[in-house]
Every structure is written in C-alpha cells, then in structure tokens.
Amino acid sequence: MNKERAVYSKPVLEFATVAREYCVFLENTERYSKIDFLTVASRMLPLLYVKASLLPSLKQILDEPPMTVVDEYIYESIRRGVRRRLTRHDEYLETFKEDQQRSIEPVPANISEDLADIYQDMRDFCEAFSIGVEDIMNDALVRVSDNFRNYWGQRLCNALRAIHNALYSGDDLSDEKAAEDDENITNQTNSDFDDDNL
C-alpha cells in the first residue's frame, strides 16, 4: 500500500478518530465522576488498542523526527487531573515490567501516569496528523505505531487491568466518599510538582 493511500485508509482514519476522542476525554476529566471516568476509560482503552493494532506498517520518509507538542507542563496537567479524579484508586501494583520479571516483589504504578503517557503519544500524533501534509502524516503514523508496539500498548493493558479491578472490586466509587482522599491527593500532587521544579 503506498503511503498516500495508507494515511487516508479506513484503519488510519478510525484510529485518528479514537485518538482524538481519547485526548478530549483526558483534557476534561473534571467533567466526570470517578465511576463515570473509570467506565469511559474501560471502554475507550480497548478500542484504542484494537485500532492501533490495525494500523498499516509504513516506513519513515522525512529525515527529521515528527513534531511533538506535549511538554512537561501539559503532561503533568493531564497526569494530575487523572490522579485527582481517581484518588485512592490511582495506584496499583505492577509485575509486568521487564526488569521485574524475575522478582517476586511487585512495584507501585499509577493509572494516571499510564494514561498520561498514552495521551502524550496520542496528542502528538493528532497534532502532526492534522497538518494534512502526507509525509508528516506518514511519519506520525510510523512513530505512534512503533511506540504502541514498544511502549504504550503495554501501559494501556496495565492500566486497563487496574481500571477493571477498581470498577468491579466492590469498592465504593462515589465522589462523596472520595472527597477527603481527593483533597489529600491534590495537596500531595501540588507538593510533588513544586518539589520537582525546585
């Protein structure tokens, strides 16, 4: 398949649509209750995974790497928004890390960090893709596909497992019960962010 047809193919346009919806979703976390956020995420993440797995295999055309728009401030804003929404359900224990495969000790991980990592790739892809220049669109597809296979596809699966657990564990997911946790998480997150920038 030549790259002109590939960038406008049905799998690519469907992926671009879901990627854009994912970005809008994470940019508006404050509009959702915790249970609604988890429910939407539990449905959107598998769809994003399927659409990414169907992308065509292309080769990079341009010498320079594709553009990036997500800086540390945007990334941190997304991560903090998700963390505030999930409160105590943000952290989970992860064992599927390459350096942990022989260890019996799981390591702490965060849904908010996983989703922000995915967001970074989706937003960069969407911005490059929206330019409408076929070579740039092609290279944005190459990068997002490579990153899916090598990085964020696994992060998506990890986050989905934790989201499923939160949704179906029987925990009270009402925002009223989480209000105190929400305040504590917000204060801790603000402190963490300030410390990182000293």
Side-chain angles (χ1 to χ4, degrees):
M1 179 182 295
N2 65 50
K3 57 96 180 172
E4 288 85 0
R5 291 185 182 164
V7 297
Y8 296 113
S9 66
K10 183 178 177 183
V12 170
L13 296 180
E14 288 179 349
F15 172 77
T17 299
V18 177
R20 176 69 64 189
E21 289 175 4
Y22 178 80
C23 291
V24 171
F25 172 57
L26 286 193
E27 289 162 2
N28 293 281
T29 55
E30 73 283 352
R31 295 183 183 178
Y32 295 88
S33 66
K34 182 191 287 191
I35 191 165
D36 288 343
F37 181 87
L38 288 167
T39 300
V40 172
S42 74
R43 296 171 182 168
M44 189 174 289
L45 291 174
L47 184 59
L48 185 61
Y49 187 96
V50 168
K51 296 303 180 186
S53 71
L54 296 173
L55 288 173
S57 179
L58 301 172
K59 294 187 178 178
Q60 187 164 325
I61 296 171
L62 302 173
D63 292 332
E64 62 272 11
M67 63 184 283
T68 60
V69 295
V70 178
D71 58 18
E72 183 181 348
Y73 177 81
I74 295 171
Y75 176 93
E76 191 62 20
S77 174
I78 294 296
R79 187 190 69 79
R80 289 168 66 187
V82 174
R83 184 170 175 168
R84 280 193 300 270
R85 179 55 49 228
L86 297 182
T87 60
R88 62 194 170 90
H89 292 94
D90 183 41
E91 190 169 282
Y92 66 97
L93 295 177
E94 183 51 61
T95 57
F96 203 90
K97 288 182 181 278
E98 196 166 318
D99 58 347
Q100 294 291 322
Q101 289 300 297
R102 293 183 180 86
S103 172
I104 59 170
E105 293 294 323
V107 294
N110 298 90
I111 295 171
S112 59
E113 189 173 319
D114 293 337
L115 298 190
D117 286 348
I118 297 165
Y119 172 85
Q120 185 169 11
D121 260 16
M122 295 307 100
R123 176 80 186 275
D124 286 344
F125 165 77
C126 288
E127 292 299 321
F129 201 76
S130 69
I131 291 172
V133 176
E134 289 174 1
D135 287 354
I136 294 174
M137 295 164 73
N138 177 87
D139 288 2
L141 278 166
V142 170
R143 180 176 63 185
V144 81
S145 294
D146 287 348
N147 288 350
F148 165 70
R149 288 189 296 273
N150 298 318
Y151 184 64
W152 66 262
Q154 186 63 60
R155 299 298 291 265
L156 184 154
C157 293
N158 297 348
L160 184 59
R161 180 174 55 83
I163 289 167
H164 176 87
N165 184 63
L167 272 173
Y168 300 109
S169 65
D171 282 356
D172 183 355
L173 298 175
S174 66
D175 290 338
E176 292 76 22
K177 180 172 173 140
E180 185 176 333
D181 285 340
D182 195 19
E183 182 63 28
N184 291 337
I185 291 288
T186 300
N187 292 338
Q188 180 62 42
T189 304
N190 289 337
S191 173
D192 291 346
F193 189 60
D194 292 340
D195 291 344
D196 290 343
N197 290 302
L198 292 178

